[in-house]
Amino acid sequence: MTAVETQMTYSSYVIHQEEAYMIQEDSWDRDLLLDPAWEKQQRKTFTAWCNSHLRKAGTQIENIEEDFRNGLKLMLLLEIANVNKALDFICSKGVKLVSIGAEEIVDGNVKMTLGMIWTIILRFAIQDISVEETSAKEGLLLWCQRKTAPYRNVNVQNFHISWKDGLALCALIHRHRPDLIDYSKLRKDDPIDIVNTPKPDEKAIMTYVSCFYHAFAGAEQLLEWIRRTIPWLENRAAEQTMRAMQQKLEDFRDYRRVHKPPRVQEKCQLEINFNTLQTKLRLSNRPAFMPSEGKMVSDIANAWKGLEQVEKGYEEWLLTEIRRLERLDHLAEKFKQKQRGPAVPEGL
């Protein structure tokens, strides 16, 4: 590790290219007609995505342009007060709503409503996806390519034509849950409802696939974060000044306050999801789900234990180094005082 690398703060390990993808290539032009086939796909996909969250509040929507008009369902979706506040909240989270106002939602403008839901999906389900050096759409595509690479008749190059026959979706499911699909029996001419069109809608496909990513990649993401964080905590390169060491301590406290808590939640949620899934499978008399090697609950627990051990050692080292520098500063100050000698009384 070079001298420059040893001085990198934790923030350099967790940089996300959040703003890059949010500069949307195709803003929602209110005068541009939406392709009927794509509108149908978006209606179905976006409605399903909204309902997956609204069910937690004991409700759902049937008609996407009608059910958001009074702002109540949107309030439940975003857990805030009304349409205007909902839109303000969306903007406060870095989502750019191009030509979308409360009037369009209240009036039931289907195109504007679909545009609003897409920006919400983009911000909260896609933007933060990170796979190696790629993020958002490109990261999601790379994840799909790697997961489907071993499967015959699947060649994922985009989020439209590559998904036309439905085999890519089946491959993603089979890769993580082989007990659900017998991939060997699938054929290219067996249509799947959402993709049975000449050119599937890119936004609808990305929405579906992002749900698979968050359902299946949770363990991978958490383990990858642990692998990236441990080298930073193992770095024992001491600084020569008190200010530099105090900055290291502040970075560590920032890691504890800001970066680690969401990962604790992820770990707990993974354990809950795993136990819930196993219970449902058992009650349905179906085989237990076994994660792939290296991604079991026990693997995550062991990796987390290793992280906390390194974390504890790093904190102890930081405090020890700061005390050492304090002693050195104190000795240096005493030496300076002796060098100056005793003060000579005035008048002598």
Side-chain angles (χ1 to χ4, degrees):
M1 182 175 291
T2 65
V4 173
E5 290 173 327
T6 60
Q7 295 181 15
M8 293 175 66
T9 66
Y10 178 76
S11 298
S12 66
Y13 283 79
V14 294
I15 288 175
H16 295 287
Q17 300 173 0
E18 291 188 353
E19 296 181 356
Y21 191 64
M22 292 309 298
I23 302 175
Q24 301 181 39
E25 297 177 358
D26 49 346
S27 61
W28 289 80
D29 186 341
R30 67 179 65 243
D31 299 321
L32 183 65
L33 294 177
L34 191 65
D35 183 285
W38 288 12
E39 179 181 317
K40 181 181 178 181
Q41 292 177 51
Q42 289 184 16
R43 279 173 179 264
K44 181 174 181 179
T45 308
F46 294 179
T47 298
W49 185 87
C50 290
N51 283 336
S52 71
H53 295 277
L54 287 171
R55 287 192 193 99
K56 299 173 184 176
T59 187
Q60 64 179 25
I61 60 172
E62 300 293 338
N63 188 310
I64 196 167
E65 69 268 26
E66 292 294 328
D67 292 350
F68 282 128
R69 292 181 66 179
N70 62 9
L72 296 178
K73 295 292 176 70
L74 189 59
M75 172 187 72
L76 292 173
L77 183 63
L78 297 173
E79 298 180 352
I80 48 178
N82 54 41
V83 174
N84 278 311
K85 288 186 178 180
L87 298 181
D88 290 342
F89 174 79
I90 295 170
C91 292
S92 74
K93 295 298 182 180
V95 179
K96 296 182 179 179
L97 296 174
V98 182
S99 302
I100 300 174
E103 296 79 9
E104 282 82 12
I105 308 304
V106 173
D107 291 341
N109 185 315
V110 62
K111 188 171 184 296
M112 293 298 110
T113 302
L114 289 172
M116 176 192 67
I117 297 301
W118 168 244
T119 59
I120 294 172
I121 293 170
L122 186 63
R123 171 60 182 86
F124 297 107
I126 296 174
Q127 179 183 327
D128 292 333
I129 290 175
S130 178
V131 180
E132 293 187 359
E133 301 300 322
T134 60
S135 60
K137 179 180 178 180
E138 290 73 23
L140 186 61
L141 183 63
L142 178 60
W143 180 77
C144 293
Q145 290 170 338
R146 292 188 171 179
K147 293 299 179 180
T148 61
Y151 290 83
R152 59 180 175 81
N153 298 324
V154 176
N155 181 22
V156 176
Q157 297 298 322
N158 50 55
F159 286 110
H160 39 84
I161 298 299
S162 296
W163 304 80
K164 180 181 176 181
D165 56 20
L167 289 179
L169 281 172
C170 293
L172 274 181
I173 296 171
H174 184 268
R175 181 65 182 266
H176 297 91
R177 291 293 307 276
D179 56 305
L180 298 180
I181 295 179
D182 186 349
Y183 189 85
S184 64
K185 293 182 179 179
L186 298 179
R187 298 175 306 183
K188 288 181 71 66
D189 56 353
D190 290 336
I192 293 180
D193 186 37
I194 187 174
V195 293
N196 189 24
T197 59
K199 184 180 179 182
D201 176 60
E202 182 178 64
K203 295 177 177 66
I205 295 298
M206 288 179 64
T207 301
Y208 264 109
V209 173
S210 69
C211 291
F212 290 149
Y213 175 86
H214 291 295
F216 295 139
E220 295 177 9
Q221 288 179 288
L222 183 56
L223 289 169
E224 177 60 27
W225 177 80
I226 292 173
R227 283 192 289 268
R228 290 199 316 267
T229 303
I230 285 178
W232 174 70
L233 293 171
E234 288 178 332
N235 179 10
R236 300 292 194 272
E239 302 292 346
Q240 299 304 312
T241 66
M242 177 63 74
R243 177 176 293 182
M245 285 304 299
Q246 287 175 336
Q247 183 59 54
K248 278 183 176 288
L249 181 61
E250 185 57 36
D251 291 339
F252 178 71
R253 288 171 175 167
D254 186 59
Y255 153 81
R256 280 267 185 87
R257 289 191 305 262
V258 179
H259 300 288
K260 187 181 178 183
R263 303 301 178 173
V264 174
Q265 291 181 333
E266 285 181 28
K267 178 177 176 290
C268 293
Q269 192 60 52
L270 280 171
E271 292 169 349
I272 292 170
N273 291 345
F274 179 79
N275 292 330
T276 301
L277 175 60
Q278 299 297 56
T279 300
K280 289 183 177 180
L281 291 173
R282 185 172 64 255
L283 293 175
S284 302
N285 294 319
R286 301 183 65 179
F289 169 59
M290 292 298 293
S292 56
E293 186 177 351
K295 299 181 180 66
M296 295 185 172
V297 173
S298 58
D299 297 317
I300 296 173
N302 289 334
W304 192 266
K305 182 179 178 181
L307 172 74
E308 294 200 318
Q309 288 175 342
V310 175
E311 182 182 305
K312 183 174 182 293
Y314 185 71
E315 182 179 30
E316 292 173 349
W317 171 77
L318 278 175
L319 297 175
T320 299
E321 282 297 305
I322 288 174
R323 286 194 292 268
R324 181 181 68 85
L325 288 174
E326 286 175 342
R327 288 196 299 270
L328 288 175
D329 286 349
H330 178 68
L331 291 173
E333 184 59 31
K334 287 181 65 176
F335 180 76
K336 287 179 182 178
Q337 290 177 358
K338 288 183 178 181
Q339 288 291 99
R340 286 195 294 267
V344 178
E346 292 184 6
L348 293 180

